[in-house]
Amino acid sequence: MNMCRHHNIMLWNIHRDEEVFFCIHASDFSKLIPLAGKTKIKPHLLQRIGLPFWIAQVKKNWTFYSGFLLFLVLLTVLSSFIWEITYNGQSSYSKETLSKTVTSMDVYTGMKRSRLNCDAIEKKIREIYPDISWVSAEEIGSVLKISIKEGKKTITHEKASDPTHLVSLYDGVVKDVMVNRGTARVKKGQKVKKGDILISGIVPVTDDNNEVADKMAVAAKGEVSLQVEKNFEEPLSVHYQKKVYTGRTISIRSYLLGNQRFSLKNPLKRFHKSYKYDIINTICTDRMIHPFSFRIQVTEKRYREYQFKRAVYSREELKSAGMKRYQQMLSELTENKMKILSHSAVLKQKDKENWVLQGEISFLCDTMDTRKVTEKERQVKKADGGKNGKS
């Protein structure tokens, strides 16, 4: 060690045990050889550290390191593209409909993430579909996640600018009235019939004598809640047409390559004219190949063959059919935003082959129809002078 210091050979990380361990520059190792010969010491290399040694090691294992480098490059390149677009929250609109809309915005699988503008996607979807109240376009890695929330559907019978009345859809009893625009024609607890005006689109304008001097026509607006008692009677027959599948299936595959579509069908399987078919469509593949913008779609159409045969309900099957129809009526009211208060039903036999489902449903209805204000309703009746002079 003294000779190394004398010959300006730098040593560090010196550790003494039965042997001496230290670090030395690679350029000084050749200077160490004659000194080791004089002192009859045999130096052993335990480890080579540094860029030149690492490069030499890479040269020996170039296939592994080049593969790892290629993996990093591919990972970087591929992660800069959008590879999947998902849709959540839709009920009225299918995935295919939303997908076509998003594609028309030049947003597709395989596009570069740097070109993606989520704010523009959200704004455009809200413009195209006014009944969608909330849209979120979120980029998660290489996936574009589009979530929507549909608002309540409103049926507009007249233009908002047209003067209209709000009229009742059912016979019922008024439970609550709130007028935003127009004149209330009913009050709480009053019975009304279907077609009666609930909120009038005519607003009278009075003079100093509290007489109607003019009538202003507006589009009536407000909320009227009706309690409706609906009685129903549904006939049921013990005879019905039962669908019976034959077990025979015909499959036809259609291929869309670019803008060309063609189909392949097994010539040994033909359609039987006396039979009917349930049709099941399945999209097996639907991909857009980029950057060529070439679309490949494979669709399978399966036809399940069946016939209708005359059958007779058993007592339990008849009850089940009646209950299914009853539940369907309740579901229709619920889907139309009606609040069901109470309901009851009973199945009665009229004769040997005919039954009837009778019952009553009580529900709250907040929905109203509209009726256009006529010119006659706008006119103001003028009293003649003679009549005004009488006491």
Side-chain angles (χ1 to χ4, degrees):
M1 293 175 64
N2 291 330
M3 294 179 68
C4 289
R5 186 176 61 180
H6 181 71
H7 288 82
N8 294 324
I9 299 175
M10 184 179 294
L11 306 178
W12 70 92
N13 291 343
I14 301 172
H15 175 64
R16 295 185 180 183
D17 200 352
E18 294 181 358
E19 298 177 340
V20 179
F21 301 90
F22 56 84
C23 297
I24 188 173
H25 289 293
S27 58
D28 292 337
F29 185 75
S30 57
K31 300 178 183 178
L32 190 64
I33 296 175
L35 300 180
K38 292 181 181 180
T39 56
K40 297 180 180 182
I41 293 175
K42 293 182 178 181
H44 296 279
L45 289 174
L46 298 179
Q47 189 178 4
R48 294 180 175 88
I49 301 174
L51 182 62
F53 299 110
W54 181 80
I55 293 174
Q57 186 180 6
V58 169
K59 288 180 179 179
K60 291 180 182 179
N61 301 286
W62 66 273
T63 54
F64 171 77
Y65 289 102
S66 59
F68 182 72
L69 181 62
L70 179 62
F71 166 75
L72 292 178
V73 173
L74 288 175
L75 183 63
T76 303
V77 173
L78 294 177
S79 61
S80 64
F81 293 87
I82 293 294
W83 293 115
E84 186 179 3
I85 302 176
T86 63
Y87 302 91
N88 299 298
Q90 75 277 7
S91 59
S92 301
Y93 301 100
S94 64
K95 177 182 175 182
E96 290 73 19
T97 301
L98 294 174
S99 179
K100 289 180 181 179
T101 303
V102 172
T103 304
S104 66
M105 303 176 199
D106 201 23
V107 177
Y108 49 85
T109 55
M111 70 175 293
K112 290 187 69 67
R113 291 172 59 186
S114 58
R115 293 176 49 209
L116 192 64
N117 188 339
C118 293
D119 292 337
I121 295 173
E122 294 172 358
K123 183 179 178 181
K124 190 68 175 179
I125 291 178
R126 284 195 297 267
E127 290 176 356
I128 296 175
Y129 304 105
D131 55 335
I132 293 180
S133 59
W134 177 80
V135 184
S136 171
E138 185 180 8
E139 179 188 354
I140 304 176
S142 294
V143 178
L144 174 61
K145 183 178 179 181
I146 298 178
S147 302
I148 69 172
K149 184 177 181 180
E150 299 177 11
K152 294 183 179 179
K153 292 186 178 180
T154 55
I155 301 175
T156 305
H157 299 271
E158 301 287 344
K159 293 181 181 179
S161 58
D162 291 340
T164 53
H165 303 298
L166 294 180
V167 300
S168 175
L169 289 172
Y170 300 95
D171 296 348
V173 178
V174 177
K175 302 300 291 183
D176 196 13
V177 181
M178 185 180 70
V179 180
N180 299 112
R181 184 168 57 239
T183 306
R185 287 283 190 89
V186 294
K187 58 184 179 180
K188 186 176 180 180
Q190 181 178 340
K191 292 183 178 181
V192 297
K193 293 184 177 180
K194 181 179 179 180
D196 285 353
I197 297 176
L198 303 177
I199 301 178
S200 173
I202 297 294
V203 179
V205 180
T206 58
D207 56 17
D208 294 338
N209 297 323
N210 204 26
E211 295 181 352
V212 178
D214 196 6
K215 290 182 179 180
M216 182 173 60
V218 298
K221 183 180 179 182
E223 295 180 5
V224 177
S225 180
L226 291 181
Q227 182 173 341
V228 181
E229 305 291 337
K230 182 180 179 182
N231 297 315
F232 61 89
E233 187 172 301
E234 292 286 330
L236 293 172
S237 175
V238 295
H239 297 287
Y240 72 102
Q241 295 293 321
K242 184 178 181 181
K243 182 189 288 187
V244 179
Y245 290 99
T246 65
R248 184 168 176 262
T249 303
I250 299 174
S251 297
I252 299 176
R253 284 207 169 195
S254 63
Y255 300 85
L256 178 66
L257 302 177
N259 295 322
Q260 299 296 322
R261 183 180 290 275
F262 60 93
S263 301
L264 292 179
K265 177 181 178 294
N266 188 343
L268 299 178
K269 289 189 175 183
R270 298 182 180 274
F271 291 102
H272 199 294
K273 293 184 179 179
S274 63
Y275 288 79
K276 298 182 181 295
Y277 299 88
D278 278 343
I279 303 174
I280 304 171
N281 288 312
T282 305
I283 298 177
C284 304
T285 303
D286 189 1
R287 303 293 296 177
M288 186 74 73
I289 300 178
H290 298 284
F292 306 104
S293 296
F294 186 79
R295 187 180 182 186
I296 298 177
Q297 185 186 79
V298 181
T299 305
E300 183 183 38
K301 186 177 288 187
R302 296 176 65 243
Y303 296 82
R304 292 185 65 194
E305 190 179 72
Y306 67 88
Q307 274 187 322
F308 281 116
K309 291 186 177 181
R310 187 177 174 85
V312 178
Y313 281 125
S314 67
R315 193 179 185 89
E316 292 301 321
E317 288 175 337
L318 194 64
K319 288 182 178 179
S320 178
M323 182 58 66
K324 183 177 180 181
R325 176 61 188 133
Y326 179 49
Q327 292 297 333
Q328 184 179 351
M329 287 190 288
L330 295 177
S331 298
E332 288 173 357
L333 290 173
T334 304
E335 289 173 2
N336 290 327
K337 311 302 181 184
M338 308 296 179
K339 183 180 179 182
I340 298 175
L341 302 176
S342 63
H343 55 89
S344 62
V346 62
L347 190 63
K348 295 182 179 180
Q349 186 174 10
K350 294 180 68 177
D351 53 47
K352 187 176 180 180
E353 295 185 352
N354 294 291
W355 291 65
V356 63
L357 178 69
Q358 294 178 337
E360 183 182 272
I361 302 175
S362 175
F363 59 91
L364 286 178
C365 173
D366 298 325
T367 307
M368 293 172 283
D369 200 356
T370 58
R371 183 193 300 167
K372 195 171 183 179
V373 176
T374 64
E375 288 296 329
K376 186 177 180 179
E377 292 174 316
R378 300 187 190 194
Q379 295 175 0
V380 180
K381 294 182 180 180
K382 301 291 184 178
D384 55 46
K387 289 183 179 179
N388 289 337
K390 295 179 180 181
S391 58

